[in-house]
Amino acid sequence: MPWDEAGVPAYTRDTGAALLPERAATPAPEGAAVLQYEWLGAWVVVARGSYDMDSIAPLSDALGAAVRRHPKVVLDASGITFADSTLLNLLIRTHQAGTLRVVAPSPQLQRLCEITGVDSILQTRTSVDDAAVS
């Protein structure tokens, strides 16, 4: 089953909470998708696919709006298949603007963060639940 048909990501429990219709899905270029919802008092942004300068805009818009409106923002990065310095820059700017927790970065993203030292400034968690409550 494609991830976008699955509903709530596997990292959370299904409580039956509905996604906010006006913010549920953000169109993104082919290969990238952004989903958003509120969970345990945090705003969760789920990123799937490849992010570079041609595809970053929907994720940048989502994280920018989230950090301005919510005290805690969680990025579920488990589905990010490619990232370059464009995404790293976005993560740093979001971290500087508010509270950002990155959940389960994909191996490619985790390696990129390690190589550049960004892993030393970002707060990572293993699950959305953990990121939302900690």
Side-chain angles (χ1 to χ4, degrees):
M1 170 182 340
W3 78 269
D4 58 342
E5 292 177 11
V8 177
Y11 291 104
T12 63
R13 295 182 304 263
D14 183 7
T15 62
L19 295 174
L20 300 176
E22 72 277 6
R23 310 236 353 155
T26 303
E30 187 174 330
V34 177
L35 176 75
Q36 305 178 60
Y37 60 95
E38 188 169 4
W39 185 254
L40 300 174
W43 191 255
V44 180
V45 177
V46 182
R48 298 286 185 255
S50 176
Y51 291 94
D52 58 22
M53 64 186 243
D54 294 326
S55 60
I56 199 73
L59 182 56
S60 179
D61 293 345
L63 288 174
V67 79
R68 285 189 302 273
R69 296 180 186 145
H70 302 280
K72 187 182 300 181
V73 176
V74 174
L75 173 64
D76 179 347
S78 62
I80 295 176
T81 57
F82 174 81
D84 65 9
S85 61
T86 310
L87 179 63
L88 288 180
N89 183 41
L90 175 60
L91 295 178
I92 292 166
R93 285 186 293 120
T94 305
H95 167 76
Q96 290 172 337
T99 301
L100 173 67
R101 305 272 192 304
V102 179
V103 173
S106 64
Q108 191 272 339
L109 179 56
Q110 187 171 349
R111 180 70 179 137
L112 183 60
C113 289
E114 290 169 0
I115 290 170
T116 59
V118 172
D119 64 328
S120 67
I121 64 167
L122 293 179
Q123 297 182 37
T124 60
R125 302 290 190 270
T126 57
S127 73
V128 172
D129 285 352
D130 184 35
V133 298
S134 65

